[in-house]
Amino acid sequence: MSGFSRRSRARAQLALLLGPVSLFLAIFLAGPLIIMLIYSFLAPGLYGGVEWEFYPHNFGRILGFADPEFEIFDPVYIAIFLRSLRIALTTVLITLLVCYPAAFQISRLSDRWKSFALFLITLPFFASLIVRLFIWILILKKTGFINVALSELGLIDTPLELIYTEGAVVLGMVYIFIPFMFLPVYASVEKLDWTLVRASQDLGANGFQTFRRVILPLTLPGVIAGSIIVFIPALGNFVVPAVLGGAKSLMLGNLIEQQFLAARNWPFGAALAMLVMTIVLALLFIYIRYEARRGDDAPVIR
Amino acid sequence: MAESMVRLQRACKAFPLPEGGTVTALDAIDLEVARNEFLTLLGPSGCGKTTLLHAISGFVELDDGRIFVDGEDVSDRPPHRRPVNTVFQNYALFPHMTVGQNVGYALDIARTPRTERSGRVGAALEMVGLAGLENRLPRQLSGGQQQRVALARAIIARPKLLLLDEPLSALDRKLRQSMQIELKTLQAELGISFIFVTHDQEEALTMSNRVAVLDGGSIQQIDTPRAVYNNPANAFVASFVGASNLFQGMLQSGRVMTAQGDVISTDAAAAGSARVTALLRPEQFTIANGGGNGAAAKLDIGIRQIVFTGAGYEVHGRTMNGHDVVAAIAAAQQAQVASAEISRKATLLYDPAAVHIIAGGGDRS
């Protein structure tokens, strides 16, 4: 009897604590998402808006079954998809290559230098993203810092094509996402028990063997978490390609933005957004499955 | 000596201090460990025992001196190329590997063929009493079992020398005692040399062929457990190994007189008079029946505390001159202990021939 009332009281408390945030998310996250999902299956209206009829060809335009009445299939959207994937993956790889060794170095510093280094890593968050990207324009443009410096030194005659290339987009992405990669990687590197490294060496393993069998597996959770945290926003990013990329390095984010704001084809934009979300959710699902499996052999803190 | 398994020649190591200056961890240590010997390095924390162990395993580079293992100079070899394995203090088991993978690690590194590997992993686990637990993860094991896995992992590559860095310190007392016996048995079975580091003097006395007592980066005494206990080389060894009552004073015609006025009788003789420290172990005392008048070798104490230890009593007292004394009294003297407890005083008797005299004032350098 009292057990029941205690349980119902606990339930009421839970509802009280979780209620507001659940309500907020239901209205402002799930709501628009459902609208997007529905729109992605509706036909675009002639002057914007939607026609209320089932229309699968929004996805068809991307995946290969375009509306036979209006257009023949153009693989340009698949190409943009693949380019976005490529740029996002390259970004993940480069940020990882930068952050992983740095995490080891920083984890060995004394506490004072450690917190200073972490402060430096998070410092860019204090300045506006747009401002930081426009500085890259100053550096990369035809009359920018690099080209002027190189021609002054007599190393080049004509300015290099640095800006408005895929390379510039990757550079900007790496620049933005380094802190996102660094923090999870650092968290797992910092936790690494160095006596395990000693134990491995003691048992005859050289540096490379120790890295492959002990250090990498034990820091892999941080590497995977960092990769996902970087990959997801990199895939849908539209600020960096908008500022540093040219027409040739259009990414999904820009395409979606164009569909909503310029082409006023909301259903097509919604379909693109849904596809990106599907990829991201699939990745997250795999990651959660991996985490759940790993939970069994996660290091125990004693 | 060609017979020795490990030989250290004038091993020196100093660590820089963060506030400048250095601290000497190893002060020109010479040490030899014989084949099939169980040597214990005993000392308080900071005495250099762990540094000495790491110097042998290769994790600490010596500033000066050489290390030979089985006749080979290994001073300049990295840890993974020394024929030495270590059991670490907190076991250092790889948390992401099963027991079998942990134990077989050294064999995997050496690319041992699969069938031989599984046979040897099985045998090593058998040896430490964990047969059949290959597929467990370390965190699913108790502390004692993890300890055994660490042991099996360290012996599987058949090292010439096994180093044990306070491996039992995390276990409870009962388990620790049974592991002590097991380790000693295992060492005899394997026929390899063990160097065992501990700060627990009881552990050192129980297991070792020889005990090296370290302090301040140098070896104070290295001898059999019995000799270290009964004939400590100096006051530090006497006070660190076992419970002890130390009386510093002048030895003169069969008596040690302290500055406070306590008098200890002894058979030892000195030419003229000399500064010495007299050592009396707690178990050398008995309580006198009645006043104990007439006995030459006695100490009158006021009782401060009596502790029942099961095997007997621990009597904590103080002489009239303010010197603390602890005596271990056998259970057979129950009646005397009871009366001492009531009267709050007792007369302790001892054998003057058993008083150990240490030359010098007892202040260690």
PDB file of all heavy atoms in Angstrom, chain A residues 196 198-205 213 217-218 296-298 300 302, chain B residues 54 59 80 85-86 88 92-94 96-97 105 109 137 139 146 153:
ATOM      1  N   LEU A 196      49.918  -0.084 -17.652  1.00  0.00           N
ATOM      2  CA  LEU A 196      49.587  -1.107 -18.645  1.00  0.00           C
ATOM      3  C   LEU A 196      50.588  -1.075 -19.788  1.00  0.00           C
ATOM      4  O   LEU A 196      50.959  -2.107 -20.340  1.00  0.00           O
ATOM      5  CB  LEU A 196      48.171  -0.890 -19.189  1.00  0.00           C
ATOM      6  CG  LEU A 196      47.045  -1.021 -18.174  1.00  0.00           C
ATOM      7  CD1 LEU A 196      45.704  -0.735 -18.822  1.00  0.00           C
ATOM      8  CD2 LEU A 196      47.055  -2.405 -17.564  1.00  0.00           C
ATOM      9  N   ARG A 198      53.668  -0.128 -19.460  1.00  0.00           N
ATOM     10  CA  ARG A 198      54.868  -0.751 -18.893  1.00  0.00           C
ATOM     11  C   ARG A 198      54.752  -2.262 -18.886  1.00  0.00           C
ATOM     12  O   ARG A 198      55.696  -2.975 -19.223  1.00  0.00           O
ATOM     13  CB  ARG A 198      55.072  -0.270 -17.458  1.00  0.00           C
ATOM     14  CG  ARG A 198      55.662   1.104 -17.381  1.00  0.00           C
ATOM     15  CD  ARG A 198      56.006   1.413 -15.956  1.00  0.00           C
ATOM     16  NE  ARG A 198      56.786   2.632 -15.878  1.00  0.00           N
ATOM     17  CZ  ARG A 198      57.199   3.165 -14.744  1.00  0.00           C
ATOM     18  NH1 ARG A 198      56.928   2.567 -13.610  1.00  0.00           N
ATOM     19  NH2 ARG A 198      57.904   4.269 -14.746  1.00  0.00           N
ATOM     20  N   ALA A 199      53.563  -2.730 -18.479  1.00  0.00           N
ATOM     21  CA  ALA A 199      53.352  -4.178 -18.424  1.00  0.00           C
ATOM     22  C   ALA A 199      53.575  -4.776 -19.814  1.00  0.00           C
ATOM     23  O   ALA A 199      54.219  -5.817 -19.958  1.00  0.00           O
ATOM     24  CB  ALA A 199      51.947  -4.491 -17.920  1.00  0.00           C
ATOM     25  N   SER A 200      53.078  -4.092 -20.828  1.00  0.00           N
ATOM     26  CA  SER A 200      53.223  -4.596 -22.191  1.00  0.00           C
ATOM     27  C   SER A 200      54.699  -4.660 -22.591  1.00  0.00           C
ATOM     28  O   SER A 200      55.160  -5.664 -23.140  1.00  0.00           O
ATOM     29  CB  SER A 200      52.449  -3.688 -23.147  1.00  0.00           C
ATOM     30  OG  SER A 200      52.775  -4.001 -24.477  1.00  0.00           O
ATOM     31  N   GLN A 201      55.431  -3.609 -22.284  1.00  0.00           N
ATOM     32  CA  GLN A 201      56.863  -3.604 -22.618  1.00  0.00           C
ATOM     33  C   GLN A 201      57.594  -4.683 -21.837  1.00  0.00           C
ATOM     34  O   GLN A 201      58.468  -5.364 -22.352  1.00  0.00           O
ATOM     35  CB  GLN A 201      57.466  -2.244 -22.287  1.00  0.00           C
ATOM     36  CG  GLN A 201      56.962  -1.142 -23.188  1.00  0.00           C
ATOM     37  CD  GLN A 201      57.491   0.209 -22.760  1.00  0.00           C
ATOM     38  OE1 GLN A 201      57.461   0.560 -21.586  1.00  0.00           O
ATOM     39  NE2 GLN A 201      57.996   0.969 -23.712  1.00  0.00           N
ATOM     40  N   ASP A 202      57.204  -4.822 -20.579  1.00  0.00           N
ATOM     41  CA  ASP A 202      57.834  -5.812 -19.724  1.00  0.00           C
ATOM     42  C   ASP A 202      57.655  -7.216 -20.293  1.00  0.00           C
ATOM     43  O   ASP A 202      58.505  -8.077 -20.139  1.00  0.00           O
ATOM     44  CB  ASP A 202      57.221  -5.722 -18.327  1.00  0.00           C
ATOM     45  CG  ASP A 202      57.936  -6.613 -17.332  1.00  0.00           C
ATOM     46  OD1 ASP A 202      59.048  -6.246 -16.939  1.00  0.00           O
ATOM     47  OD2 ASP A 202      57.385  -7.666 -16.970  1.00  0.00           O
ATOM     48  N   LEU A 203      56.509  -7.429 -20.975  1.00  0.00           N
ATOM     49  CA  LEU A 203      56.222  -8.753 -21.518  1.00  0.00           C
ATOM     50  C   LEU A 203      56.801  -8.929 -22.919  1.00  0.00           C
ATOM     51  O   LEU A 203      56.476  -9.871 -23.608  1.00  0.00           O
ATOM     52  CB  LEU A 203      54.712  -8.989 -21.525  1.00  0.00           C
ATOM     53  CG  LEU A 203      54.113  -9.119 -20.126  1.00  0.00           C
ATOM     54  CD1 LEU A 203      52.609  -8.966 -20.148  1.00  0.00           C
ATOM     55  CD2 LEU A 203      54.494 -10.454 -19.506  1.00  0.00           C
ATOM     56  N   GLY A 204      57.626  -7.964 -23.351  1.00  0.00           N
ATOM     57  CA  GLY A 204      58.376  -8.158 -24.580  1.00  0.00           C
ATOM     58  C   GLY A 204      57.880  -7.380 -25.778  1.00  0.00           C
ATOM     59  O   GLY A 204      58.425  -7.519 -26.867  1.00  0.00           O
ATOM     60  N   ALA A 205      56.830  -6.579 -25.610  1.00  0.00           N
ATOM     61  CA  ALA A 205      56.291  -5.858 -26.755  1.00  0.00           C
ATOM     62  C   ALA A 205      57.088  -4.575 -27.001  1.00  0.00           C
ATOM     63  O   ALA A 205      57.383  -3.842 -26.055  1.00  0.00           O
ATOM     64  CB  ALA A 205      54.824  -5.511 -26.517  1.00  0.00           C
ATOM     65  N   ARG A 213      48.327  -3.081 -29.560  1.00  0.00           N
ATOM     66  CA  ARG A 213      47.591  -4.040 -28.739  1.00  0.00           C
ATOM     67  C   ARG A 213      47.034  -3.447 -27.458  1.00  0.00           C
ATOM     68  O   ARG A 213      46.113  -3.992 -26.872  1.00  0.00           O
ATOM     69  CB  ARG A 213      48.507  -5.220 -28.368  1.00  0.00           C
ATOM     70  CG  ARG A 213      48.799  -6.116 -29.544  1.00  0.00           C
ATOM     71  CD  ARG A 213      49.898  -7.084 -29.174  1.00  0.00           C
ATOM     72  NE  ARG A 213      50.252  -7.942 -30.274  1.00  0.00           N
ATOM     73  CZ  ARG A 213      49.714  -9.155 -30.445  1.00  0.00           C
ATOM     74  NH1 ARG A 213      48.836  -9.619 -29.598  1.00  0.00           N
ATOM     75  NH2 ARG A 213      50.080  -9.890 -31.479  1.00  0.00           N
ATOM     76  N   PRO A 217      43.579   0.104 -28.527  1.00  0.00           N
ATOM     77  CA  PRO A 217      42.280  -0.420 -28.086  1.00  0.00           C
ATOM     78  C   PRO A 217      41.704   0.331 -26.879  1.00  0.00           C
ATOM     79  O   PRO A 217      40.496   0.513 -26.788  1.00  0.00           O
ATOM     80  CB  PRO A 217      42.576  -1.876 -27.701  1.00  0.00           C
ATOM     81  CG  PRO A 217      43.842  -2.214 -28.350  1.00  0.00           C
ATOM     82  CD  PRO A 217      44.605  -0.948 -28.554  1.00  0.00           C
ATOM     83  N   LEU A 218      42.583   0.774 -25.982  1.00  0.00           N
ATOM     84  CA  LEU A 218      42.079   1.421 -24.767  1.00  0.00           C
ATOM     85  C   LEU A 218      41.672   2.873 -25.012  1.00  0.00           C
ATOM     86  O   LEU A 218      40.915   3.436 -24.240  1.00  0.00           O
ATOM     87  CB  LEU A 218      43.122   1.348 -23.653  1.00  0.00           C
ATOM     88  CG  LEU A 218      43.324  -0.050 -23.064  1.00  0.00           C
ATOM     89  CD1 LEU A 218      44.436  -0.050 -22.039  1.00  0.00           C
ATOM     90  CD2 LEU A 218      42.033  -0.565 -22.442  1.00  0.00           C
ATOM     91  N   ASP A 296      30.668  -4.328 -21.555  1.00  0.00           N
ATOM     92  CA  ASP A 296      31.062  -5.509 -20.799  1.00  0.00           C
ATOM     93  C   ASP A 296      32.523  -5.486 -20.402  1.00  0.00           C
ATOM     94  O   ASP A 296      32.887  -5.951 -19.331  1.00  0.00           O
ATOM     95  CB  ASP A 296      30.814  -6.766 -21.642  1.00  0.00           C
ATOM     96  CG  ASP A 296      29.343  -6.924 -21.943  1.00  0.00           C
ATOM     97  OD1 ASP A 296      28.549  -6.381 -21.175  1.00  0.00           O
ATOM     98  OD2 ASP A 296      29.016  -7.588 -22.945  1.00  0.00           O
ATOM     99  N   ASP A 297      33.372  -4.947 -21.295  1.00  0.00           N
ATOM    100  CA  ASP A 297      34.788  -5.020 -20.946  1.00  0.00           C
ATOM    101  C   ASP A 297      35.396  -3.630 -20.748  1.00  0.00           C
ATOM    102  O   ASP A 297      36.591  -3.468 -20.815  1.00  0.00           O
ATOM    103  CB  ASP A 297      35.575  -5.811 -22.003  1.00  0.00           C
ATOM    104  CG  ASP A 297      35.431  -5.227 -23.397  1.00  0.00           C
ATOM    105  OD1 ASP A 297      35.540  -4.006 -23.538  1.00  0.00           O
ATOM    106  OD2 ASP A 297      35.202  -5.998 -24.323  1.00  0.00           O
ATOM    107  N   ALA A 298      34.538  -2.651 -20.476  1.00  0.00           N
ATOM    108  CA  ALA A 298      35.062  -1.321 -20.186  1.00  0.00           C
ATOM    109  C   ALA A 298      35.906  -1.395 -18.929  1.00  0.00           C
ATOM    110  O   ALA A 298      35.605  -2.164 -18.018  1.00  0.00           O
ATOM    111  CB  ALA A 298      33.913  -0.338 -19.979  1.00  0.00           C
ATOM    112  N   VAL A 300      37.307  -1.015 -15.375  1.00  0.00           N
ATOM    113  CA  VAL A 300      36.595  -0.739 -14.135  1.00  0.00           C
ATOM    114  C   VAL A 300      37.402   0.269 -13.339  1.00  0.00           C
ATOM    115  O   VAL A 300      38.612   0.178 -13.262  1.00  0.00           O
ATOM    116  CB  VAL A 300      36.466  -2.014 -13.289  1.00  0.00           C
ATOM    117  CG1 VAL A 300      35.395  -1.835 -12.235  1.00  0.00           C
ATOM    118  CG2 VAL A 300      36.181  -3.203 -14.158  1.00  0.00           C
ATOM    119  N   ARG A 302      38.448   1.306  -9.895  1.00  0.00           N
ATOM    120  CA  ARG A 302      38.413   0.735  -8.546  1.00  0.00           C
ATOM    121  C   ARG A 302      38.732   1.776  -7.510  1.00  0.00           C
ATOM    122  O   ARG A 302      39.457   2.716  -7.784  1.00  0.00           O
ATOM    123  CB  ARG A 302      39.435  -0.397  -8.434  1.00  0.00           C
ATOM    124  CG  ARG A 302      38.822  -1.731  -8.770  1.00  0.00           C
ATOM    125  CD  ARG A 302      39.891  -2.787  -8.744  1.00  0.00           C
ATOM    126  NE  ARG A 302      41.012  -2.370  -9.561  1.00  0.00           N
ATOM    127  CZ  ARG A 302      42.040  -3.150  -9.835  1.00  0.00           C
ATOM    128  NH1 ARG A 302      42.093  -4.327  -9.350  1.00  0.00           N
ATOM    129  NH2 ARG A 302      43.023  -2.731 -10.590  1.00  0.00           N
TER     130      ARG A 302
ATOM    131  N   HIS B  54      62.844  -1.166 -10.806  1.00  0.00           N
ATOM    132  CA  HIS B  54      62.652  -0.610 -12.150  1.00  0.00           C
ATOM    133  C   HIS B  54      63.962  -0.519 -12.913  1.00  0.00           C
ATOM    134  O   HIS B  54      63.971  -0.593 -14.138  1.00  0.00           O
ATOM    135  CB  HIS B  54      61.979   0.764 -12.050  1.00  0.00           C
ATOM    136  CG  HIS B  54      60.521   0.676 -11.751  1.00  0.00           C
ATOM    137  ND1 HIS B  54      59.742   1.768 -11.464  1.00  0.00           N
ATOM    138  CD2 HIS B  54      59.690  -0.396 -11.689  1.00  0.00           C
ATOM    139  CE1 HIS B  54      58.495   1.376 -11.241  1.00  0.00           C
ATOM    140  NE2 HIS B  54      58.448   0.065 -11.368  1.00  0.00           N
ATOM    141  N   PHE B  59      62.854   0.155 -16.640  1.00  0.00           N
ATOM    142  CA  PHE B  59      62.003   1.348 -16.705  1.00  0.00           C
ATOM    143  C   PHE B  59      62.693   2.571 -16.121  1.00  0.00           C
ATOM    144  O   PHE B  59      62.256   3.687 -16.313  1.00  0.00           O
ATOM    145  CB  PHE B  59      60.673   1.086 -15.996  1.00  0.00           C
ATOM    146  CG  PHE B  59      59.851   0.058 -16.688  1.00  0.00           C
ATOM    147  CD1 PHE B  59      59.553  -1.139 -16.076  1.00  0.00           C
ATOM    148  CD2 PHE B  59      59.412   0.272 -17.984  1.00  0.00           C
ATOM    149  CE1 PHE B  59      58.815  -2.106 -16.737  1.00  0.00           C
ATOM    150  CE2 PHE B  59      58.673  -0.680 -18.643  1.00  0.00           C
ATOM    151  CZ  PHE B  59      58.378  -1.878 -18.025  1.00  0.00           C
ATOM    152  N   HIS B  80      61.720  -4.204 -23.089  1.00  0.00           N
ATOM    153  CA  HIS B  80      61.171  -5.357 -23.795  1.00  0.00           C
ATOM    154  C   HIS B  80      62.248  -6.320 -24.276  1.00  0.00           C
ATOM    155  O   HIS B  80      61.933  -7.393 -24.775  1.00  0.00           O
ATOM    156  CB  HIS B  80      60.246  -4.919 -24.940  1.00  0.00           C
ATOM    157  CG  HIS B  80      60.942  -4.255 -26.094  1.00  0.00           C
ATOM    158  ND1 HIS B  80      61.170  -2.899 -26.137  1.00  0.00           N
ATOM    159  CD2 HIS B  80      61.436  -4.756 -27.244  1.00  0.00           C
ATOM    160  CE1 HIS B  80      61.789  -2.606 -27.268  1.00  0.00           C
ATOM    161  NE2 HIS B  80      61.966  -3.704 -27.953  1.00  0.00           N
ATOM    162  N   ASN B  85      60.674 -10.539 -16.142  1.00  0.00           N
ATOM    163  CA  ASN B  85      59.261 -10.147 -16.150  1.00  0.00           C
ATOM    164  C   ASN B  85      58.858  -9.649 -14.768  1.00  0.00           C
ATOM    165  O   ASN B  85      59.506  -9.962 -13.778  1.00  0.00           O
ATOM    166  CB  ASN B  85      58.361 -11.312 -16.584  1.00  0.00           C
ATOM    167  CG  ASN B  85      58.430 -11.546 -18.083  1.00  0.00           C
ATOM    168  OD1 ASN B  85      58.532 -12.668 -18.546  1.00  0.00           O
ATOM    169  ND2 ASN B  85      58.415 -10.461 -18.861  1.00  0.00           N
ATOM    170  N   THR B  86      57.786  -8.871 -14.768  1.00  0.00           N
ATOM    171  CA  THR B  86      57.397  -8.187 -13.538  1.00  0.00           C
ATOM    172  C   THR B  86      55.946  -8.484 -13.190  1.00  0.00           C
ATOM    173  O   THR B  86      55.097  -8.534 -14.071  1.00  0.00           O
ATOM    174  CB  THR B  86      57.559  -6.661 -13.717  1.00  0.00           C
ATOM    175  OG1 THR B  86      58.883  -6.395 -14.165  1.00  0.00           O
ATOM    176  CG2 THR B  86      57.316  -5.926 -12.413  1.00  0.00           C
ATOM    177  N   PHE B  88      53.173  -6.514 -11.345  1.00  0.00           N
ATOM    178  CA  PHE B  88      53.031  -5.129 -10.921  1.00  0.00           C
ATOM    179  C   PHE B  88      52.159  -5.010  -9.685  1.00  0.00           C
ATOM    180  O   PHE B  88      51.341  -5.878  -9.386  1.00  0.00           O
ATOM    181  CB  PHE B  88      52.452  -4.284 -12.053  1.00  0.00           C
ATOM    182  CG  PHE B  88      53.415  -4.094 -13.179  1.00  0.00           C
ATOM    183  CD1 PHE B  88      53.513  -5.021 -14.199  1.00  0.00           C
ATOM    184  CD2 PHE B  88      54.255  -2.998 -13.209  1.00  0.00           C
ATOM    185  CE1 PHE B  88      54.408  -4.856 -15.232  1.00  0.00           C
ATOM    186  CE2 PHE B  88      55.153  -2.819 -14.240  1.00  0.00           C
ATOM    187  CZ  PHE B  88      55.234  -3.758 -15.253  1.00  0.00           C
ATOM    188  N   ALA B  92      48.152  -4.526 -13.111  1.00  0.00           N
ATOM    189  CA  ALA B  92      48.255  -4.008 -14.478  1.00  0.00           C
ATOM    190  C   ALA B  92      47.775  -5.012 -15.512  1.00  0.00           C
ATOM    191  O   ALA B  92      48.401  -5.219 -16.541  1.00  0.00           O
ATOM    192  CB  ALA B  92      49.697  -3.563 -14.781  1.00  0.00           C
ATOM    193  N   LEU B  93      46.640  -5.641 -15.231  1.00  0.00           N
ATOM    194  CA  LEU B  93      46.056  -6.540 -16.230  1.00  0.00           C
ATOM    195  C   LEU B  93      45.411  -5.698 -17.323  1.00  0.00           C
ATOM    196  O   LEU B  93      44.831  -4.655 -17.039  1.00  0.00           O
ATOM    197  CB  LEU B  93      45.005  -7.442 -15.585  1.00  0.00           C
ATOM    198  CG  LEU B  93      45.530  -8.375 -14.496  1.00  0.00           C
ATOM    199  CD1 LEU B  93      44.373  -9.188 -13.910  1.00  0.00           C
ATOM    200  CD2 LEU B  93      46.590  -9.303 -15.042  1.00  0.00           C
ATOM    201  N   PHE B  94      45.507  -6.175 -18.576  1.00  0.00           N
ATOM    202  CA  PHE B  94      44.893  -5.439 -19.673  1.00  0.00           C
ATOM    203  C   PHE B  94      43.373  -5.598 -19.579  1.00  0.00           C
ATOM    204  O   PHE B  94      42.854  -6.700 -19.725  1.00  0.00           O
ATOM    205  CB  PHE B  94      45.417  -5.947 -21.008  1.00  0.00           C
ATOM    206  CG  PHE B  94      46.915  -5.891 -21.102  1.00  0.00           C
ATOM    207  CD1 PHE B  94      47.653  -7.037 -21.366  1.00  0.00           C
ATOM    208  CD2 PHE B  94      47.600  -4.699 -20.904  1.00  0.00           C
ATOM    209  CE1 PHE B  94      49.040  -6.985 -21.439  1.00  0.00           C
ATOM    210  CE2 PHE B  94      48.975  -4.643 -20.969  1.00  0.00           C
ATOM    211  CZ  PHE B  94      49.696  -5.787 -21.233  1.00  0.00           C
ATOM    212  N   HIS B  96      40.963  -4.856 -21.479  1.00  0.00           N
ATOM    213  CA  HIS B  96      40.197  -5.188 -22.675  1.00  0.00           C
ATOM    214  C   HIS B  96      40.479  -6.595 -23.171  1.00  0.00           C
ATOM    215  O   HIS B  96      40.002  -6.986 -24.225  1.00  0.00           O
ATOM    216  CB  HIS B  96      40.498  -4.173 -23.772  1.00  0.00           C
ATOM    217  CG  HIS B  96      41.952  -4.094 -24.141  1.00  0.00           C
ATOM    218  ND1 HIS B  96      42.933  -3.746 -23.236  1.00  0.00           N
ATOM    219  CD2 HIS B  96      42.589  -4.341 -25.303  1.00  0.00           C
ATOM    220  CE1 HIS B  96      44.109  -3.764 -23.835  1.00  0.00           C
ATOM    221  NE2 HIS B  96      43.930  -4.122 -25.087  1.00  0.00           N
ATOM    222  N   MET B  97      41.293  -7.337 -22.427  1.00  0.00           N
ATOM    223  CA  MET B  97      41.605  -8.693 -22.861  1.00  0.00           C
ATOM    224  C   MET B  97      41.104  -9.694 -21.820  1.00  0.00           C
ATOM    225  O   MET B  97      41.037  -9.396 -20.634  1.00  0.00           O
ATOM    226  CB  MET B  97      43.126  -8.865 -22.993  1.00  0.00           C
ATOM    227  CG  MET B  97      43.761  -7.969 -24.020  1.00  0.00           C
ATOM    228  SD  MET B  97      45.519  -8.368 -24.120  1.00  0.00           S
ATOM    229  CE  MET B  97      46.099  -6.935 -25.012  1.00  0.00           C
ATOM    230  N   TYR B 105      49.824 -13.050 -23.543  1.00  0.00           N
ATOM    231  CA  TYR B 105      50.321 -11.839 -24.226  1.00  0.00           C
ATOM    232  C   TYR B 105      51.771 -11.974 -24.672  1.00  0.00           C
ATOM    233  O   TYR B 105      52.104 -11.721 -25.836  1.00  0.00           O
ATOM    234  CB  TYR B 105      50.156 -10.634 -23.295  1.00  0.00           C
ATOM    235  CG  TYR B 105      50.415  -9.307 -23.952  1.00  0.00           C
ATOM    236  CD1 TYR B 105      49.432  -8.695 -24.709  1.00  0.00           C
ATOM    237  CD2 TYR B 105      51.638  -8.659 -23.821  1.00  0.00           C
ATOM    238  CE1 TYR B 105      49.641  -7.476 -25.325  1.00  0.00           C
ATOM    239  CE2 TYR B 105      51.862  -7.442 -24.434  1.00  0.00           C
ATOM    240  CZ  TYR B 105      50.869  -6.854 -25.181  1.00  0.00           C
ATOM    241  OH  TYR B 105      51.101  -5.648 -25.781  1.00  0.00           O
ATOM    242  N   ILE B 109      53.243 -11.921 -28.520  1.00  0.00           N
ATOM    243  CA  ILE B 109      54.274 -11.004 -28.982  1.00  0.00           C
ATOM    244  C   ILE B 109      55.427 -11.782 -29.607  1.00  0.00           C
ATOM    245  O   ILE B 109      55.985 -11.387 -30.631  1.00  0.00           O
ATOM    246  CB  ILE B 109      54.794 -10.147 -27.797  1.00  0.00           C
ATOM    247  CG1 ILE B 109      53.699  -9.238 -27.266  1.00  0.00           C
ATOM    248  CG2 ILE B 109      56.019  -9.337 -28.200  1.00  0.00           C
ATOM    249  CD1 ILE B 109      53.207  -8.199 -28.228  1.00  0.00           C
ATOM    250  N   LEU B 137      36.898 -11.863 -18.063  1.00  0.00           N
ATOM    251  CA  LEU B 137      37.621 -10.595 -18.135  1.00  0.00           C
ATOM    252  C   LEU B 137      38.169 -10.277 -16.751  1.00  0.00           C
ATOM    253  O   LEU B 137      37.573 -10.678 -15.745  1.00  0.00           O
ATOM    254  CB  LEU B 137      36.681  -9.483 -18.592  1.00  0.00           C
ATOM    255  CG  LEU B 137      36.306  -9.573 -20.074  1.00  0.00           C
ATOM    256  CD1 LEU B 137      35.099  -8.701 -20.366  1.00  0.00           C
ATOM    257  CD2 LEU B 137      37.481  -9.163 -20.940  1.00  0.00           C
ATOM    258  N   ARG B 139      38.028  -7.811 -14.828  1.00  0.00           N
ATOM    259  CA  ARG B 139      37.158  -7.162 -13.860  1.00  0.00           C
ATOM    260  C   ARG B 139      36.109  -8.108 -13.288  1.00  0.00           C
ATOM    261  O   ARG B 139      35.412  -7.779 -12.337  1.00  0.00           O
ATOM    262  CB  ARG B 139      36.466  -5.949 -14.486  1.00  0.00           C
ATOM    263  CG  ARG B 139      35.564  -6.343 -15.624  1.00  0.00           C
ATOM    264  CD  ARG B 139      34.971  -5.129 -16.285  1.00  0.00           C
ATOM    265  NE  ARG B 139      33.759  -5.513 -16.979  1.00  0.00           N
ATOM    266  CZ  ARG B 139      32.553  -5.088 -16.639  1.00  0.00           C
ATOM    267  NH1 ARG B 139      32.408  -4.274 -15.637  1.00  0.00           N
ATOM    268  NH2 ARG B 139      31.497  -5.489 -17.308  1.00  0.00           N
ATOM    269  N   GLN B 146      42.865 -11.921  -9.674  1.00  0.00           N
ATOM    270  CA  GLN B 146      43.604 -11.012 -10.571  1.00  0.00           C
ATOM    271  C   GLN B 146      45.094 -11.130 -10.306  1.00  0.00           C
ATOM    272  O   GLN B 146      45.912 -11.117 -11.221  1.00  0.00           O
ATOM    273  CB  GLN B 146      43.144  -9.574 -10.351  1.00  0.00           C
ATOM    274  CG  GLN B 146      41.717  -9.337 -10.778  1.00  0.00           C
ATOM    275  CD  GLN B 146      41.321  -7.871 -10.689  1.00  0.00           C
ATOM    276  OE1 GLN B 146      42.168  -6.988 -10.623  1.00  0.00           O
ATOM    277  NE2 GLN B 146      40.039  -7.612 -10.689  1.00  0.00           N
ATOM    278  N   ARG B 153      50.772 -14.496 -16.030  1.00  0.00           N
ATOM    279  CA  ARG B 153      51.199 -13.722 -17.196  1.00  0.00           C
ATOM    280  C   ARG B 153      52.706 -13.461 -17.151  1.00  0.00           C
ATOM    281  O   ARG B 153      53.376 -13.445 -18.180  1.00  0.00           O
ATOM    282  CB  ARG B 153      50.430 -12.389 -17.222  1.00  0.00           C
ATOM    283  CG  ARG B 153      50.726 -11.544 -18.437  1.00  0.00           C
ATOM    284  CD  ARG B 153      49.914 -10.275 -18.428  1.00  0.00           C
ATOM    285  NE  ARG B 153      50.373  -9.347 -17.412  1.00  0.00           N
ATOM    286  CZ  ARG B 153      49.902  -8.105 -17.269  1.00  0.00           C
ATOM    287  NH1 ARG B 153      48.947  -7.667 -18.062  1.00  0.00           N
ATOM    288  NH2 ARG B 153      50.375  -7.322 -16.331  1.00  0.00           N
TER     289      ARG B 153
END
